[in-house]
Amino acid sequence: MCGIVGYTGQQQAAPILLDGLGRLEYRGYDSAGLAIRDGGALAQVVKSTGKLRSLIEKTDEGRTLPGTCGIGHTRWATHGEPSQTNAHPHVSGNCTGSGSGKVESEVVGVHNGIIENYMELKAKLTRHGYQFYSETDTEVVIKLVDYYYNKYKLGPVDAINRTLVRVRGSYALALMFRDYPGEIYAARKDAPLILGAGSDFSCLASDVPAILNYTRSVYYIGNLEIAKLLPGELHFFDLNGDEITLEPTKITWDAKAAEKNGYEHFMIKEIHEQPEAVRNTLGSLISGGKIDLSESGLTDEVLADIDFVRFTACGSAWHVGMTGQYVLEEMAAIETRVELASEYRYRRVLPRGHELLIVISQSGETADSLAALRKAKSMGVRTLAIVNVVGSTIAHEADHVLYTHAGPEIAVATTKAYSAQLIAVYALAVQLAYVQGKIDGQAYGNYLEELSALPDKITRILEEKERIQWFAAKFASAKDIFFVGRGLDYSISLEGSLKAKEISYVHSEAYAAGELKHGTISLIEDNTLVIGVLTQSAIFEKTVSNMAECKARGAYLMALTSYGNYSVEDSADFTVYIPKSDPCFMASLAVVPLQLFGYYSGVARGLDVDKPRNLAKSVTVE
Ligand code: F6R
């Protein structure tokens, strides 16, 4: 979703902000803009639609916008079409044309998120003589700040606080006030925003990669807190306007981790980083030959008490929950349910007495997942977050946190974070099973051995990527693809199908193989690609039969199974073999060829695989 950056210091702001926006491109956007001011001068606003490149060209790489203080934005349209007028920054005054140029306005700002009651606020402001030039909720919030600023004349912090009290929704805001040159004000609620400072500058952004070249010391402001940025100084305020102290967090990952390092795309780089992501996540959960979750507060006593697990998440993270459901029930014999966060949050939920609700999220900011977490907490349910981004809202609010150690994930489609999430789920399942006496010490040791063998097995699969590349190119113009599997293989199929459609824009569906006959099989035509996932030996034959039914109706069959299951070649036209592991852990291996298939299909179709159309990396609106 939208990306925000801000800088105030001694250097020219525009090139720094453009660089920062470039590092946030992965979040998804359809227009971009900057507001820069030079000392006491008025802010100059420049906006453009489409790729950031056009803003870079329009401003001659920032050279036409002199000034050492500014804010920037990439917009992912929610209210109002992607146009120059609707692009940010927005201003409190009246604006003609597309809103670019020198602005007289009192307040200039950028916003990420959604203001839910913007219609009501707009009506109020209209009654007070404000006029609106755009269709955005952002213009409303900027004008509301201006209204309070002029009404009470108590300065920016007071005006922002009064606005925060009136506004409903989620937001990260960065604002400049005409009377306060060299200063930027920021506030957030349920949308990501980080701040950093050096000896002569301070800066803000929606995510760490945007500021990592300037500082590793990052501040996370809480909901309804305000930050004031001056060159070399950061001040924080609570909702009463009282100054508060925040401690910085040190970012340990290398700035290079957020660069392509010779790979053509972030996605393929991140696919290759999976052995490391899995190894690092395992390393954080296993020590001295034992799983140790105590740092998260999930002690053996806590685990012994749990008799019901509910996963909730969105998209790929929900697929991890789906795999988790099979694994927990199989390994730990604990009743488990998995729910889409967007459904869970609005339905009547009957919590169980000894329930553990697990929210899985790479970003830790997904609006629906956050809402689901809050709902569970409000019902007194114990919550665990499996999160990749340190300091994110979901990590902050859950009772327990297990961090995945995937490093920064830049490509919009998740790969390495998904793999790291699986590991956290496996470790939890093994420990629950052991603590609750469902497995003995021997089985426990075997599981740990299988887990530690996963990174090398993933590496081995990656070594054979050329075969998938060839196959993906052959089917790049496919109209439809069906992914089928039973049980845990069904959860893998869901992820394979999502990867295919989001990256290559080919329509695809995942089906529990036994369901095909109940309708979907009518869609099979000559040469329709059906990809069968067959990692579970107990149901191998059943899925093979379902695939054969498709073949009899003209389908082209690809099978994905482990070495040794060569009989599949009697039915399949093309087979991909992966190493064997414990059946519970096979998703970690089987997903890799499917990620590669999605990636290479998109590349073969000449698509922007790192930033598929209409998608955003961090979905901070519902
Ligand atoms: C798909 C993908 C999305 C995310 C989903 C949840 O490749 O990346 O489906 O998994 O938007 O995001 P997080 O994990 O940040 O909550």
Side-chain angles (χ1 to χ4, degrees), residues 224-386:
L224 301 172
E225 288 174 355
I226 295 179
K228 170 172 152 182
L229 292 82
L230 296 159
E233 275 176 56
L234 276 172
H235 299 271
F236 303 104
F237 303 88
D238 65 14
L239 203 50
N240 297 319
D242 294 332
E243 191 151 354
I244 53 172
T245 309
L246 295 181
E247 291 305 320
T249 302
K250 196 109 201 118
I251 301 296
T252 51
W253 42 266
D254 192 334
K256 288 238 172 318
E259 286 168 14
K260 284 190 203 149
N261 292 347
Y263 284 95
E264 201 183 339
H265 298 104
F266 279 110
M267 185 174 172
I268 190 70
K269 172 181 173 247
E270 288 162 6
I271 287 174
H272 279 88
E273 284 171 346
Q274 290 182 109
E276 200 188 336
V278 166
R279 199 173 284 118
N280 290 345
T281 306
L282 281 170
S284 72
L285 300 169
I286 301 177
S287 70
K290 279 166 64 184
I291 293 172
D292 182 4
L293 310 177
S294 56
E295 211 170 288
S296 68
L298 287 174
T299 57
D300 288 355
E301 292 69 45
V302 171
L303 294 180
D305 198 39
I306 290 162
D307 64 4
F308 178 71
V309 172
R310 196 191 306 263
F311 287 102
T312 186
C314 304
S316 293
W318 176 71
H319 299 157
V320 172
M322 180 71 101
T323 304
Q325 178 181 26
Y326 290 110
V327 172
L328 272 163
E329 294 197 331
E330 180 64 34
M331 194 186 284
I334 290 181
E335 190 187 348
T336 306
R337 187 167 173 173
V338 55
E339 302 200 50
L340 291 164
S342 52
E343 292 293 316
Y344 175 88
R345 67 180 290 189
Y346 290 120
R347 72 175 186 82
R348 181 171 177 204
V349 172
L350 305 174
R352 308 279 182 91
H354 299 268
E355 172 173 342
L356 177 66
L357 177 119
I358 306 178
V359 180
I360 306 174
S361 175
Q362 188 284 129
S363 62
E365 302 289 351
T366 301
D368 285 321
S369 304
L370 177 60
L373 171 73
R374 287 181 177 162
K375 175 168 175 163
K377 284 192 77 174
S378 73
M379 294 185 300
V381 173
R382 188 188 285 275
T383 57
L384 163 68
I386 296 178

Side-chain angles (χ1 to χ4, degrees), residues 26-90:
Y26 70 90
R27 297 173 66 81
Y29 68 100
D30 39 54
S31 52
L34 291 177
I36 307 288
R37 60 190 300 188
D38 202 4
L42 296 175
Q44 272 209 73
V45 173
V46 178
K47 315 185 205 184
S48 71
T49 52
K51 290 287 172 203
L52 188 60
R53 179 107 304 269
S54 72
L55 183 66
I56 294 173
E57 279 163 15
K58 202 167 179 178
T59 61
D60 190 16
E61 301 186 348
R63 280 187 278 268
T64 61
L65 288 175
T68 56
C69 177
I71 51 180
H73 189 265
T74 43
R75 174 174 186 252
W76 191 86
T78 54
H79 295 77
E81 55 161 2
S83 68
Q84 206 164 305
T85 308
N86 287 332
H88 301 208
H90 284 288

